[in-house]
Short mmCIF file of all heavy atoms in Angstrom, two decimals:
data_model
loop_
_atom_site.label_atom_id
_atom_site.label_comp_id
_atom_site.label_asym_id
_atom_site.label_seq_id
_atom_site.Cartn_x
_atom_site.Cartn_y
_atom_site.Cartn_z
N ARG F 56 377.86 -180.12 166.77
CA ARG F 56 376.78 -179.26 166.15
C ARG F 56 375.53 -180.07 165.85
O ARG F 56 374.30 -179.76 166.04
CB ARG F 56 377.29 -178.46 164.84
CG ARG F 56 378.32 -177.51 165.24
CD ARG F 56 378.71 -176.80 163.94
NE ARG F 56 379.67 -177.59 163.18
CZ ARG F 56 379.54 -177.88 161.95
NH1 ARG F 56 378.50 -177.54 161.29
NH2 ARG F 56 380.46 -178.65 161.38
N LEU F 57 375.69 -181.30 165.28
CA LEU F 57 374.57 -182.18 165.03
C LEU F 57 373.72 -182.49 166.35
O LEU F 57 372.52 -182.38 166.32
CB LEU F 57 375.08 -183.59 164.51
CG LEU F 57 374.03 -184.63 164.28
CD1 LEU F 57 373.18 -184.29 163.07
CD2 LEU F 57 374.76 -185.96 164.08
N GLU F 58 374.51 -182.84 167.31
CA GLU F 58 373.84 -183.29 168.66
C GLU F 58 373.04 -182.09 169.25
O GLU F 58 371.97 -182.29 169.75
CB GLU F 58 374.87 -183.81 169.59
CG GLU F 58 374.34 -184.32 170.92
CD GLU F 58 375.22 -185.02 171.73
OE1 GLU F 58 376.34 -185.07 171.52
OE2 GLU F 58 374.81 -185.72 172.66
N LEU F 59 373.55 -180.88 169.10
CA LEU F 59 372.91 -179.79 169.76
C LEU F 59 371.63 -179.42 168.90
O LEU F 59 370.64 -179.25 169.56
CB LEU F 59 373.88 -178.49 169.70
CG LEU F 59 373.28 -177.23 170.22
CD1 LEU F 59 372.77 -177.39 171.62
CD2 LEU F 59 374.37 -176.00 170.12
N VAL F 60 371.67 -179.41 167.66
CA VAL F 60 370.44 -179.15 166.83
C VAL F 60 369.42 -180.18 167.07
O VAL F 60 368.28 -179.90 167.22
CB VAL F 60 370.80 -179.01 165.35
CG1 VAL F 60 369.67 -178.97 164.38
CG2 VAL F 60 371.67 -177.77 164.94
N LEU F 61 369.73 -181.46 166.97
CA LEU F 61 368.76 -182.51 167.22
C LEU F 61 368.19 -182.46 168.62
O LEU F 61 367.00 -182.72 168.79
CB LEU F 61 369.47 -183.98 166.96
CG LEU F 61 370.00 -184.10 165.57
CD1 LEU F 61 370.63 -185.54 165.47
CD2 LEU F 61 368.73 -183.98 164.36
N ALA F 62 368.95 -182.06 169.58
CA ALA F 62 368.43 -181.95 170.93
C ALA F 62 367.53 -180.80 171.02
O ALA F 62 366.37 -180.92 171.53
CB ALA F 62 369.65 -181.60 171.87
N GLU F 63 367.74 -179.66 170.45
CA GLU F 63 366.77 -178.56 170.38
C GLU F 63 365.44 -178.90 169.70
O GLU F 63 364.43 -178.61 170.15
CB GLU F 63 367.48 -177.35 169.74
CG GLU F 63 368.66 -176.82 170.43
CD GLU F 63 368.42 -176.38 171.95
OE1 GLU F 63 367.35 -176.10 172.31
OE2 GLU F 63 369.50 -176.38 172.68
N VAL F 64 365.54 -179.70 168.49
CA VAL F 64 364.44 -180.02 167.80
C VAL F 64 363.53 -180.91 168.52
O VAL F 64 362.28 -180.90 168.80
CB VAL F 64 364.81 -180.51 166.33
CG1 VAL F 64 363.51 -181.17 165.69
CG2 VAL F 64 365.37 -179.53 165.47
N MET F 65 364.13 -182.02 169.13
CA MET F 65 363.42 -183.02 169.82
C MET F 65 363.00 -182.46 171.23
O MET F 65 361.82 -182.73 171.66
CB MET F 65 364.22 -184.28 170.04
CG MET F 65 364.44 -184.97 168.64
SD MET F 65 365.07 -186.67 168.80
CE MET F 65 366.81 -186.38 169.22
N ASN F 66 363.57 -181.64 171.89
CA ASN F 66 363.12 -181.01 173.04
C ASN F 66 361.91 -180.08 172.80
O ASN F 66 360.94 -180.23 173.59
CB ASN F 66 364.26 -180.06 173.66
CG ASN F 66 365.32 -180.76 174.30
OD1 ASN F 66 365.28 -182.12 174.46
ND2 ASN F 66 366.47 -180.05 174.63
N ASN F 67 361.90 -179.48 171.73
CA ASN F 67 360.78 -178.67 171.39
C ASN F 67 359.44 -179.41 171.23
O ASN F 67 358.35 -179.18 171.64
CB ASN F 67 361.02 -177.83 169.98
CG ASN F 67 361.84 -176.60 170.31
OD1 ASN F 67 361.86 -176.04 171.36
ND2 ASN F 67 362.57 -176.27 169.29
N VAL F 68 359.68 -180.71 170.47
CA VAL F 68 358.57 -181.60 170.28
C VAL F 68 358.13 -182.10 171.62
O VAL F 68 356.85 -182.09 172.01
CB VAL F 68 358.89 -182.80 169.52
CG1 VAL F 68 357.77 -183.78 169.36
CG2 VAL F 68 359.33 -182.36 168.02
N THR F 69 359.07 -182.47 172.53
CA THR F 69 358.78 -183.02 173.89
C THR F 69 357.96 -181.98 174.73
O THR F 69 357.08 -182.24 175.48
CB THR F 69 360.04 -183.40 174.52
OG1 THR F 69 360.74 -184.28 173.73
CG2 THR F 69 359.84 -183.90 175.94
N GLU F 70 358.41 -180.63 174.54
CA GLU F 70 357.86 -179.70 175.44
C GLU F 70 356.53 -179.04 175.05
O GLU F 70 355.76 -178.59 175.73
CB GLU F 70 358.91 -178.63 175.69
CG GLU F 70 360.07 -179.01 176.64
CD GLU F 70 361.17 -178.00 176.54
OE1 GLU F 70 360.96 -176.76 176.38
OE2 GLU F 70 362.42 -178.48 176.67
N HIS F 71 356.54 -178.87 173.68
CA HIS F 71 355.38 -178.11 173.06
C HIS F 71 354.48 -178.77 172.19
O HIS F 71 353.29 -178.28 171.84
CB HIS F 71 355.97 -176.83 172.31
CG HIS F 71 356.86 -176.06 173.05
ND1 HIS F 71 356.48 -175.48 174.23
CD2 HIS F 71 358.30 -175.82 172.94
CE1 HIS F 71 357.61 -174.74 174.66
NE2 HIS F 71 358.64 -175.07 173.93
N ALA F 72 354.75 -180.06 171.76
CA ALA F 72 353.93 -180.61 170.68
C ALA F 72 352.80 -181.60 171.30
O ALA F 72 352.15 -182.11 170.46
CB ALA F 72 354.71 -181.31 169.71
N SER F 73 352.88 -181.72 172.51
CA SER F 73 351.88 -182.66 173.01
C SER F 73 350.48 -182.36 172.74
O SER F 73 350.08 -181.22 172.73
CB SER F 73 352.08 -182.75 174.61
OG SER F 73 351.43 -183.81 175.23
#
Side-chain angles (χ1 to χ4, degrees):
Chain F
R56 287 181 286 122
L57 173 74
E58 187 171 9
L59 180 57
V60 169
L61 295 178
E63 299 300 337
V64 172
M65 290 194 282
N66 288 348
N67 282 332
V68 176
T69 303
E70 289 167 29
H71 305 297
S73 193

